[in-house]
C-alpha cells in the first residue's frame, strides 16, 4: 500500500535551516510528483513546491523561492525538503503528499512539526 | 497570486445536508479538489476533478462547480463529518488552498 513516513519533530533557532524527510513506498514513484505542503496553526495549508522523481525537475512557490530546496533520493525512495533562514512564521506542520492536477493529493505523510524558538 | 475563499464555518443538524462553497476567479475552468482535515490527522482527499470521488469516499459526498464557485455537498451528515474542509485548485502550475471551513454537526 502507498505509504509516506516523515521524519520527526524539529526545534530550530531563528536563522537556522531545517531538513525534513519523507520516505515513500508502495507505488511507482516515477508516475507521481511529490509535493510539500505546510500548515501553521489556524492557517490554511500552504503549498511549497514539488519535485518530479523521474527527472528531478522542481517548481517552488514564489514566496519560498531561494529559501526552499526539494530533492529526491532514488536509491532511498525518499524526498527531502530543506528550508533555510527560518523565522517564527515558519513554525508549522510540514507534509509531503503525492499528486498532480488530475488526481489531487491522494496520499499524505503523517506530518513533521517544525518549531522555531530562540 | 490566486485566491480561494471559503466561509469560515457551516453548521448543520445530523441527517441534514451541508454545503460548503469555494470561490475563485474562473474556478469552473480549473480542477478543484476537496480535503477533510481533523485535528492531529493529515488531510484526506474527498474529491478531485471537482466531482470525482476516490475509492472509499461515500456517495453522500459530492461536488459541483459553476462560474466562480465550487461546492462540496455532504448529505445525511453525521457526527463523524465534523471537521475542517479545504478546497484546492491549480493556477499556472501553482497550487492554492482555500482558507478552510469548519463544519459543525
Amino acid at each position: 500500500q502507498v505509504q509516506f513516513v516523515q521524519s520527526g519533530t524539529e526545534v530550530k533557532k531563528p536563522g537556522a535551516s531545517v531538513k525534513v524527510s519523507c520516505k515513500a513506498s508502495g507505488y511507482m514513484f516515477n508516475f507521481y510528483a511529490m509535493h510539500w505542503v505546510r500548515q501553521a496553526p489556524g492557517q490554511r495549508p500552504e503549498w511549497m513546491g514539488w519535485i518530479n522523481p523521474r527527472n528531478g525537475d522542481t517548481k517552488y512557490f514564489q514566496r519560498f523561492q531561494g529559501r526552499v530546496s526539494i530533492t529526491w533520493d532514488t536509491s532511498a525512495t525518499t524526498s527531502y525538503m530543506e528550508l533555510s533562514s527560518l523565522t517564527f512564521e515558519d513554525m508549522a506542520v510540514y507534509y509531503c503528499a503525492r499528486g498532480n492536477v488530475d488526481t489531487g493529493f491522494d496520499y499524505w505523510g503523517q506530518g513533521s512539526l517544525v518549531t522555531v524558538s530562540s | 497570486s490566486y485566491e480561494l475563499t471559503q466561509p469560515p464555518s457551516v453548521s448543520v443538524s445530523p441527517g441534514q445536508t451541508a454545503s460548503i462553497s469555494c470561490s475563485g476567479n474562473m474556478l469552473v475552468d480549473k480542477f478543484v479538489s476537496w480535503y477533510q482535515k481533523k485535528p492531529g490527522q493529515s488531510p484526506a482527499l474527498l474529491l478531485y476533478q471537482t466531482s470525482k470521488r476516490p475509492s472509499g469516499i461515500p456517495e453522500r459526498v459530492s461536488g459541483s462547480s459553476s462560474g466562480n464557485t465550487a461546492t462540496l455537498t455532504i448529505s445525511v451528515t453525521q457526527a463523524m463529518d465534523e471537521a475542517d474542509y479545504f478546497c484546492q485548485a491549480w493556477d499556472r502550475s501553482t497550487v492554492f488552498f482555500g482558507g478552510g471551513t469548519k463544519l459543525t454537526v
Side-chain angles (χ1 to χ4, degrees), chain A residues 6 33 35 37 39 42-48 50 59-62 95 99-111, chain B residues 1-5 31 33 35 37 40-45 47-49 54 86 88 90 92-100:
Chain A
Q6 297 186 223
H35 298 256
V37 176
Q39 188 173 23
Q43 301 296 313
R44 70 181 66 197
E46 187 172 35
W47 179 76
M48 302 181 70
W50 61 265
K59 180 176 174 63
Y60 303 124
F61 189 33
Q62 188 174 8
Y95 297 95
N100 57 46
V101 66
D102 295 328
T103 65
F105 299 140
D106 56 355
Y107 287 93
W108 296 66
Q110 84 275 21
Chain B
S1 187
Y2 187 76
E3 191 75 20
L4 291 171
T5 302
F31 280 157
S33 296
Y35 303 86
K37 176 78 168 63
Q41 297 183 16
S42 303
L45 179 67
L47 296 170
Y48 64 100
Q49 292 186 29
F86 295 93
Q88 174 254 310
W90 291 74
R92 302 180 188 179
S93 302
T94 300
V95 176
F96 295 93
F97 287 90

